[in-house]
Amino acid sequence: MNELSVTRLIAAPPAKVWDALVNRTNEWWCPVPWRAEVDWGERRAGAATHTVMYGPDGEVHQHPGLILAWDEGRRVASTDSIVGDLEPNTPFMIGIWEIAPEGDGTRYTARARHWSVEAMEQHREMGFEQGWNACTDQLQALCER
């Protein structure tokens, strides 16, 4: 499988991590100094989702997509390969964000699954590890306050 992932044990209960994951997404989604506006839409499989990422130099990146799974309190998954009214889009990845109770805290795992080794390597070269770890740091700090 062409997957990149980040996992972290967060010292907070699953309900708090889930709340931050899906209700406070804009506070942790992009590594600072970037910021994001994430609209999860109807919060169900098959619903449209839309993210806009803003860079420190005025960059604006639109990311429409489709929610593939919304398992309340446990997992959300989306893809950029389908947009609008089931319109094919040039795919980059499937994103999966999962939480599970572990000891006194919560195991958070974020996965990026790609259609090809080339796309996975492109994502790695774009700074996947640094970027997704920075986002995870921000989520963890938000949850452990």
Side-chain angles (χ1 to χ4, degrees):
M1 185 174 316
N2 303 315
E3 180 178 285
L4 300 171
S5 67
V6 171
T7 187
R8 183 88 46 91
L9 182 60
I10 297 176
K16 186 172 185 179
V17 177
W18 181 257
D19 180 63
L21 184 74
V22 301
N23 295 319
R24 300 178 70 184
T25 313
N26 297 352
E27 296 177 53
W28 65 269
W29 192 261
C30 275
V32 173
W34 285 72
R35 69 178 183 82
E37 293 176 0
V38 179
D39 180 0
W40 288 112
E42 293 181 38
R43 298 180 179 215
R44 62 170 177 80
T49 183
H50 193 88
T51 300
V52 184
M53 297 170 68
Y54 298 93
D57 297 321
E59 304 94 333
V60 178
H61 298 279
Q62 304 281 338
H63 298 277
L66 184 78
I67 295 174
L68 300 173
W70 190 282
D71 303 320
E72 188 65 31
R74 189 176 75 79
R75 175 180 75 162
V76 61
S78 65
T79 186
D80 58 351
S81 67
I82 301 169
V83 296
D85 188 19
L86 301 177
E87 299 165 30
N89 190 35
T90 303
F92 182 63
M93 69 174 212
I94 294 173
I96 305 166
W97 298 269
E98 299 173 295
I99 65 165
E102 185 174 317
D104 292 335
T106 303
R107 173 63 57 186
Y108 166 77
T109 305
R111 305 173 196 283
R113 292 184 177 160
H114 305 84
W115 272 255
S116 67
V117 171
E118 294 78 19
M120 180 182 70
E121 290 306 321
Q122 176 190 4
H123 200 182
R124 188 187 320 271
E125 290 170 16
M126 287 171 57
F128 170 85
E129 186 173 311
Q130 299 86 351
W132 283 44
N133 271 301
C135 291
T136 302
D137 290 344
Q138 293 166 180
L139 174 64
Q140 183 174 14
L142 190 62
C143 293
E144 292 181 353
R145 285 189 204 154

